[in-house]
Amino acid sequence: MPPCEQATEKPLADVNFDISSASSTSSETSDETPPQVYEQVSEPELLEKYERPYPWNLVPDEIQMAIGALSLLFIAAPTLALIFFTTSSGWFLFNFFYFHNPVGKKILDKVHGVIVAMSKFAAHYVLLDTRDHVYLPWITWGLLASPTLFYWAYQRYSTYGFEASTFLLYHVMRLGPRYRFFAHHEVLTHREGHSMRTGMYRNIFNQKERVPISKKWRRRFTDHINGLFIGVFNGSIPHHYATAHLKIHHRWHNDTGDVHTNMDVDRTEFKNYVLYLPRFLLYWVGISPMVLFNHRKEYRLLRELGTGMLVYYSIAATIWYKTSLLFLFAFWFYPMLEAACFLGAIAYLWHAFVDENDPGNQYVNSITILRGLDNIWNEDYHVVHHHFPNVHWTEAPQHFALEKPKYVKCRATIFADCEQGQMCYWMFSQRWDDMTNHFVDLHYIYSNGEKNEDKLLTVKEAADYEMKLLEATPADGTNELVSREQIEMRANEHHAEVKAMLLKRMKFHYRNSAQRDMTSFDAAVNANIREFNKVPGKND
């Protein structure tokens, strides 16, 4: 049964405007309705009883930490530096040519309008769903720019040897201003992987009806336009999203069957991200998914992912043969390691919060970001993406509104007016107050009786709104709460309560609690449970 269709926590108390008990909003922190108490087990016993998920239970933590530290030092740090550079330079370009340039803004708006019109026209003939017309300009750019840039770097290396300037310029142009090219490519490859059932493209030889290309030709060509013809230059293995991502991550939704789960670590401690980094790295390069598919005897998935890996690493071997190990690492493997570190941090964040009474509750363990500052094609509605994957991306906001009662019931993990990069910074630097300020508490009720499930304000905005209500209070004292100090105290208590709840959700991991019957849980995992109440066949 999907989460929130059954009670997974004690009844939740609404946040009423009561100064005496302003912080009592959830069973996770309320003194009146404490969460269920589970058996307490000493840490050594827990570590023995609840080992890390497969295949990471085969590798000592010390080795994982060492690999993670080296990855952080030699891969993540340079990667983030380059991404910060493209971000700052990107904002400079945006400001110079658009935001503070009326003439440039007018010209660029006209160019954008032409591109949109052309993409809509082309989408009618080539795409199954014309709402996806926004994909086409980015796909076209990737098909043209990616191989051209790589060939330019190859020619420079062949003529002048390795040049640091060529290395930096190549990756800056590949990432794009504020890493827009990289970000849109990754979202496109992600969407391509999720579209494997029908593909994204229509049969252009049948213009009477909108039908997909035959499976035979899709699997050989159009299903891999982003993952193969563009993705290899950006560190993506062909068919990786359709196998490792779709058949592992979306089968277990970051739970313990997921090869890059973070549910066995305390996400409030940065050292555990260092421990986690090798997991995502080996997932991204294809090794741990291959191990899991072989372990579970899912040989079709093993073969499909193996074919993609063979293509990617065969091209790598050819590049090595034609150039050198230095060129191979600098221009072929560096984008792969870059993507693993960057996307690994995002994946770590997306599932950083867990309901201890129902760890599989996707309304809590997947983040939703409203009014996101970097919301590419509604990827910020991550609950919709996991729990309702067939909803078209253009309908995600409406679907969120339709399913809002379930979000309310679960006190879902929702933030607003921010982006993933900011949230990663808050999490890794332990800026919990900043994170709390951007949380949207759907249980909050204002002094005038309005509900935050309707207003969707952040904790900080809710406090400011209460002050505005106070200022609008008639002088005859019809509102019994007329003290600014009282409202500030209530706001501080609410902030503290939400902060404690978020930290509790981040600290929970199955190795520090004996709440699970791991025998029955492993049986469910091995039964191939996916989407809660559906049990597909082994090779589905």
Side-chain angles (χ1 to χ4, degrees), residues 114 213 449 510 534:
V114 172
I213 299 171
Y510 71 83
K534 293 186 287 186

Side-chain angles (χ1 to χ4, degrees), residues 291-417:
V291 171
L292 183 64
F293 288 146
N294 183 69
H295 178 70
R296 292 177 55 78
K297 297 180 174 59
E298 295 179 311
Y299 298 123
R300 180 179 65 83
L301 298 175
L302 183 76
R303 183 176 64 254
E304 291 179 358
L305 178 57
T307 301
M309 293 175 66
L310 180 63
V311 170
Y312 181 85
Y313 294 113
S314 294
I315 297 174
T318 303
I319 293 171
W320 186 8
Y321 175 76
K322 297 288 290 185
T323 58
S324 69
L325 189 61
L326 177 60
F327 181 90
L328 176 68
F329 179 83
F331 294 96
W332 190 257
F333 283 141
Y334 176 83
M336 169 180 271
L337 301 175
E338 168 196 80
C341 291
F342 184 77
L343 298 177
I346 301 300
Y348 193 79
L349 168 73
W350 277 131
H351 303 286
F353 302 87
V354 180
D355 177 357
E356 68 173 357
N357 294 322
D358 181 14
N361 184 337
Q362 293 176 35
Y363 293 88
V364 173
N365 73 16
S366 289
I367 289 177
T368 298
I369 301 179
L370 304 177
R371 307 183 293 275
L373 304 182
D374 193 13
N375 180 23
I376 299 176
W377 301 323
N378 287 327
E379 287 282 291
D380 285 354
Y381 291 88
H382 209 62
V383 173
V384 176
H385 173 64
H386 267 270
H387 198 22
F388 306 96
N390 293 324
V391 172
H392 192 267
W393 64 269
T394 59
E395 299 172 349
Q398 294 85 348
H399 194 274
F400 167 78
L402 181 67
E403 297 290 325
K404 194 189 295 180
K406 294 181 180 179
Y407 289 80
V408 175
K409 185 174 182 180
C410 297
R411 203 185 190 189
T413 307
I414 302 176
F415 297 89
D417 307 316

Side-chain angles (χ1 to χ4, degrees), residues 490-509:
R490 198 269 183 144
N492 291 336
E493 290 179 343
H494 181 227
H495 183 281
E497 188 275 330
V498 170
K499 178 180 175 180
M501 179 196 70
L502 292 176
L503 287 173
K504 188 173 185 179
R505 288 179 175 182
M506 295 181 74
K507 283 181 174 294
F508 170 81
H509 56 95

Side-chain angles (χ1 to χ4, degrees), residues 430-438 495 499:
Q430 299 187 335
R431 300 176 68 94
W432 310 126
D433 288 329
D434 289 336
M435 181 178 285
T436 302
N437 284 337
H438 288 265
H495 183 281
K499 178 180 175 180

